[in-house]
Amino acid sequence: MFKKLDILDEKDKTLRKISKDVVFPLSKEDKNTIQKVIDELTYSQIEEYAEKYDLRPGMGLAFVQLGILERIIIIVHEVEEGIFDNYVFINPKIVSSSEEIIAAEAGEGCLSVNREVEGHVPRHARVTVEGFDEKGNKIRCRAREDLAIAFQHEIDHLNGILFYDKIDPKKPFYSDSEMRLI
Ligand code: NI
C-alpha cells in the first residue's frame, strides 16, 4: 500500500537546521525511508499516479524535509518520458562547480513550499558531487543543467537554506543576456 510521506512545510523551523553527517552502516529505517522517497518522487512525476495519490510533482527531497536531520538527499530525474535515474547521496559535497551560472527560467519549486515563489535562483551550470551510497561506498556524479540545479537545491536543504533565500529581492529576474535561463 502506498502511504504519502509527511513533508514539513516551510514554516517549520526544523528546515532551518543544519543536518548531521550520517555514520555507516545505515539503519534499516533510513533505508526504508530512502525507498519511500524514491517511490513518491517517481509517482509524483507520472501524471496518472500523481493524480491518484494527489502528489505535487517533485524531483528531489532531503531528509530534513521529513524532520530527519541526516545528510541524505534523493533525486529522481526523468531522463526520458517514463524513464527515471535515481540518485541517493549520503553526506554529499560539491567538490567542483562551473563558473557559469544559470537559472531555471520558470523558477524553482520545493515540496516544502506550498505556494508559488517567483524569481530566478542563480545556480552553477555544472557541479561535481561526491558522497556515499547506501552501502557506504564512495560515489561521485557530474551533473549539469536541471540535474545540477537539483543537487544544489537539495544540498542547500542540508544547510538550512531554502531556494528563495537565493533570490535577490532587489533583482528577482534576469534576462537571457545576463544569465543563461534553462
Ligand atoms: Ni526543496
Side-chain angles (χ1 to χ4, degrees):
M1 264 304 278
F2 177 74
K3 196 179 159 290
K4 260 168 85 165
L5 296 165
D6 279 318
I7 299 175
L8 298 184
D9 181 81
E10 60 178 317
K11 288 184 215 70
D12 197 307
K13 295 226 164 30
T14 306
L15 287 172
R16 294 308 190 169
K17 293 192 171 151
I18 311 278
S19 296
K20 292 192 174 69
D21 271 334
V22 175
V23 179
F24 288 96
L26 214 57
S27 70
K28 229 185 176 157
E29 214 182 327
D30 279 348
K31 285 184 189 165
N32 284 336
T33 305
I34 288 169
Q35 193 51 56
K36 282 189 198 157
V37 172
I38 292 172
D39 291 346
E40 184 156 324
L41 291 176
T42 308
Y43 281 155
S44 82
Q45 295 179 72
I46 302 171
E47 217 181 322
E48 183 194 340
Y49 291 103
E51 234 167 75
K52 186 173 170 189
Y53 299 124
D54 187 30
L55 301 171
R56 200 147 63 80
M59 70 181 282
L61 198 85
F63 257 41
V64 60
Q65 292 177 270
L66 303 171
I68 307 167
L69 289 166
E70 295 176 353
R71 299 187 82 83
I72 301 178
I73 60 167
I74 294 120
I75 294 169
V76 175
H77 184 221
E78 189 170 30
V79 282
E80 256 179 73
E81 176 147 8
I83 314 243
F84 299 93
D85 280 346
N86 301 336
Y87 299 89
V88 176
F89 269 71
I90 299 166
N91 304 338
K93 273 196 182 72
I94 294 173
V95 294
S96 75
S97 45
S98 66
E99 266 182 47
E100 189 195 2
I101 303 293
I102 58 171
E105 186 162 23
E108 290 184 26
C110 178
L111 292 173
S112 292
V113 180
N114 294 296
R115 61 192 171 99
E116 283 287 319
V117 180
E118 293 201 325
H120 293 140
V121 185
R123 301 286 193 187
H124 298 285
R126 294 167 296 283
V127 291
T128 302
V129 183
E130 283 183 359
F132 297 88
D133 68 10
E134 290 167 76
K135 291 183 182 134
N137 301 312
K138 201 153 193 206
I139 50 172
R140 162 193 271 259
C141 175
R142 280 204 185 89
R144 52 196 300 275
E145 308 292 302
D146 57 335
L147 184 59
I149 290 176
F151 268 109
Q152 291 166 85
H153 177 119
E154 300 312 329
I155 291 171
D156 274 350
H157 272 303
L158 304 181
N159 298 317
I161 298 165
L162 297 174
F163 74 91
Y164 51 73
D165 300 347
K166 295 192 161 171
I167 298 172
D168 184 345
K170 289 193 205 99
K171 187 176 170 50
F173 297 99
Y174 295 88
S175 67
D176 249 324
S177 58
E178 294 169 310
M179 188 184 293
R180 188 158 64 84
L181 304 173
I182 67 163

